[in-house]
Amino acid sequence: LELFQKMQQEGIEPNVAVFLSILKACANIGDIEQGRLIHDRIIKRGLELDVAIGNTLVDMYAKCASLEEARKV
């Protein structure tokens, strides 16, 4: 998560692979707030229809005990 924050500070736009990694990190540590922020960025970038992104979002929300949000993805 620290590397992602540094990328943001330097104005580096994340690609799909970075989004997947950061969502998995959020799921592993149960950081749903950061996960929601990442989800918002994914939507703004128009990547929400990517199958891998969608699967990882569902996984992240489920692991963070937010099944309602997982269903909405």
Side-chain angles (χ1 to χ4, degrees), residues 3-69:
L3 180 58
F4 179 72
Q5 291 169 349
K6 187 172 181 167
M7 287 175 66
Q8 286 183 308
Q9 291 169 354
E10 294 183 13
I12 299 171
E13 280 297 320
N15 60 20
V16 171
V18 172
F19 280 129
L20 292 173
S21 296
I22 197 70
L23 287 170
K24 288 177 186 177
C26 290
N28 288 336
I29 63 172
D31 190 347
I32 195 167
E33 292 305 318
Q34 182 70 25
R36 286 177 180 139
L37 292 173
I38 300 303
H39 190 178
D40 287 342
R41 290 195 64 185
I42 287 168
I43 291 169
K44 288 176 184 170
R45 293 271 313 272
L47 299 172
E48 69 272 15
L49 297 179
D50 182 281
V51 174
I53 293 273
N55 287 339
T56 306
L57 281 165
V58 169
D59 182 64
M60 187 268 303
Y61 283 125
K63 286 182 177 176
C64 291
S66 183
L67 298 179
E68 185 62 33
E69 286 177 279

